[in-house]
Amino acid sequence: MSWVETTSLSFTARHDSEQADDAIAVLEDLEAHRNHLERMFPRIPGNVTIILHDSPLQLWTAHPLLLLSRVFASRSARRYVAAWYRAGEVHTLSPPMLRSLAAGPDSERAMLLSPRRGYTALVVGENNPLLPPPSRPAAVSRALRHAWLVQGASQHFSGQVPLLRAAIGMRLRQGRVPFPPGVRDAPLLAGSVFDLLARERGERACVRLATHPYDSTRDALEDSFDRPVSDTAHAWRRHLEQLSTPAPDVAPLGDPA
């Protein structure tokens, strides 16, 4: 494998020399996504290197925390553990590898948003003083304990949530899910917490939840939703059921229903 670099205004991609077109597409999407995040978050990192790995093993070797996350993740969530960050870097799988791991058209679209998701996690970390970077032990420990916060914000703001209907439905058939989702379910379900908050209280409330240094999970959820955690848990489980339900077919105009 021969590594080369492709640059854009705010990013540098390191990738296989045969994947230049894919790298350009990733950078163009990240530039547009960065402009979107810039309108919401106070600090936006620039000059970020995006490393596009050609195999899960290569990715996990470069970022062992991802391997831990995958080991702990539920079967339905595992494929979406495909990107993570450190200061100035985002590690993710290359587009061909992301496509190969997908379980269908929506899953493929969600997988191809992994570079966005990794970069969004970096943006959240840059704006939340309790999270990495820098990757000090205390900050990494908090990121693991509060996986629902980091994973949820990055999944929501990267646009993956609407594409996960089938995977969410599969997970719900496996049994009850704790609220907020633990490290087992966070890679798949945590974005739905932010999706619910956005529907009820708007995107600004989502940004505050992602970036405010709350003392505890209970404080974060009760302040954000302005109600007891138990009430939000009930609303969230109803929301998960809705997210996992296929949209009804709409008959063309003039056809009988």
Side-chain angles (χ1 to χ4, degrees):
M1 173 179 174
S2 176
W3 286 92
V4 297
E5 292 188 349
T6 300
T7 61
S8 66
L9 186 63
S10 310
F11 302 94
T12 297
R14 293 184 59 209
H15 57 91
D16 188 312
S17 58
E18 296 181 359
Q19 295 174 5
D21 290 344
D22 281 321
I24 290 170
V26 167
L27 294 183
E28 288 177 347
D29 183 71
L30 283 174
E31 290 288 358
H33 185 56
R34 183 183 187 277
N35 290 338
H36 173 66
L37 295 178
E38 196 169 26
R39 295 193 288 270
M40 295 185 287
F41 289 86
R43 291 187 297 279
I44 299 293
N47 300 317
V48 174
T49 300
I50 311 296
I51 298 93
L52 302 175
H53 295 279
D54 275 335
S55 73
L57 180 60
Q58 189 184 85
L59 175 63
W60 299 332
T61 301
H63 217 306
L65 186 59
L66 265 179
L67 178 58
L68 277 178
S69 297
R70 180 178 169 80
V71 167
F72 288 125
S74 70
R75 184 174 169 187
S76 304
R78 205 161 288 156
R79 68 166 43 89
Y80 300 105
V81 183
W84 197 243
Y85 69 94
R86 57 171 61 103
E89 293 183 351
V90 171
H91 291 256
T92 186
L93 293 172
S94 65
M97 181 54 61
L98 291 170
R99 292 186 189 100
S100 74
L101 295 174
D106 281 350
S107 175
E108 180 175 317
R109 289 168 62 199
M111 293 295 292
L112 289 172
L113 293 176
S114 296
R116 276 195 199 184
R117 181 166 169 170
Y119 179 65
T120 305
L122 173 60
V123 171
V124 170
E126 291 279 4
N127 285 273
N128 189 321
L130 298 182
L131 299 174
S135 297
R136 297 191 180 101
V140 171
S141 176
R142 278 192 294 268
L144 288 172
R145 290 199 313 273
H146 303 291
W148 69 272
L149 179 66
V150 184
Q151 300 274 12
S154 59
Q155 191 182 89
H156 169 70
F157 289 113
S158 66
Q160 282 187 327
V161 175
L163 302 170
L164 301 175
R165 178 191 59 78
I168 291 172
M170 182 184 299
R171 174 60 186 92
L172 293 182
R173 289 191 292 273
Q174 295 169 357
R176 188 174 176 82
V177 183
F179 179 78
V183 67
R184 170 177 164 78
D185 295 300
L188 174 63
L189 300 183
S192 60
V193 178
F194 283 81
D195 189 63
L196 176 63
L197 181 61
R199 291 170 188 243
E200 292 187 357
R201 302 182 67 83
E203 289 292 329
R204 193 167 292 182
C206 292
V207 172
R208 177 174 171 80
L209 175 58
T211 60
H212 187 75
Y214 288 103
D215 291 333
S216 69
T217 293
R218 178 175 292 276
D219 287 347
L221 292 170
E222 290 190 343
D223 178 66
S224 298
F225 286 94
D226 194 26
R227 64 188 175 210
V229 171
S230 58
D231 291 348
T232 300
H234 289 306
W236 176 69
R237 290 194 172 93
R238 290 194 301 269
H239 186 56
L240 276 183
E241 292 288 350
Q242 292 169 358
L243 287 174
S244 69
T245 302
D249 293 331
V250 178
L253 211 57
D255 288 0

